[in-house]
Amino acid sequence: MARQAAGEPENRIVVGVEGSGGARAALRWALKEARHRGAFVDVVTAYTTTYVPSSPDFNYLPLDPIDLEAEVKQMQDNVIDTVLAEVDSEGVEIRRRMIRGRAADTLIAESVDAAMLVVGSRGRGGFRGLLLGSVSQQIAQHGSCPVVIVRPDLPT
C-alpha cells in the first residue's frame, strides 16, 4: 500500500453506526461508494455510559449494564452482518471500531484524514423528517472531510 502524503486524506470512508435503519442505509451507501473508489470502510460506533444520581449526596452510578461494550459490539456486528447480506461488498475492506465518547465529537475527530464521513438520518418523515438530527448537523458543520447524510427511506 502506498504511503499517504502529509495532509492528504486516507482512502477511508468513515461510517457512523448506532443501530438505526438510517445507520444501515448509510453503511449500504458507503460500501457501494467504497467499491467505486477502491476505498476501505471504517465502521465507527461511539458510545457513552449514562450516570444517574444514587444518593442525596449526589454520588452517581452507571445506569448502563455492566457489559455495555459487549452489547455495543453485538449491535454493531448485527448492523454490519445484515448489510453485508444485502450488498455486494467483495473487495472492500471493512474495519470495525468502537470508541467511547459522544457521537458527534467522535465522528468529527474521525473525519480528520478521511476521504468521506457517512451517517444516516433518522428519517422521521413529514416536517420533522426535513430537519437534521443534532449529530448530523454537528458533523455537517464541523467535519474535516465531505459529509454524506443518507436517508433510510430512499433507495441506496
Side-chain angles (χ1 to χ4, degrees), residues 94-156:
I94 300 171
R95 298 180 187 173
R96 303 169 188 228
R97 294 189 305 127
M98 299 184 328
I99 301 172
R100 187 176 293 271
R102 292 180 56 240
D105 296 338
T106 299
L107 293 172
I108 290 166
E110 289 299 313
S111 72
V112 175
D113 295 330
M116 183 179 295
L117 174 58
V118 182
V119 294
S121 75
R122 294 288 176 123
R124 291 187 171 96
F127 177 73
R128 286 180 53 110
L130 298 174
L131 303 175
L132 285 178
S134 61
V135 172
S136 299
Q137 186 172 16
Q138 288 178 51
I139 65 169
Q141 290 176 345
H142 303 290
S144 297
C145 65
V147 173
V148 176
I149 302 169
V150 180
R151 287 182 38 183
D153 57 342
L154 297 178
T156 50

Side-chain angles (χ1 to χ4, degrees), residues 10-11 14 20 25 48 50 54-55 66 81 98 101 103 107 114 120 128 130 137 142:
E10 285 186 84
N11 198 14
V14 175
S20 69
T48 60
T50 304
S54 66
S55 72
I66 305 267
D81 294 344
M98 299 184 328
L107 293 172
R128 286 180 53 110
L130 298 174
Q137 186 172 16
H142 303 290

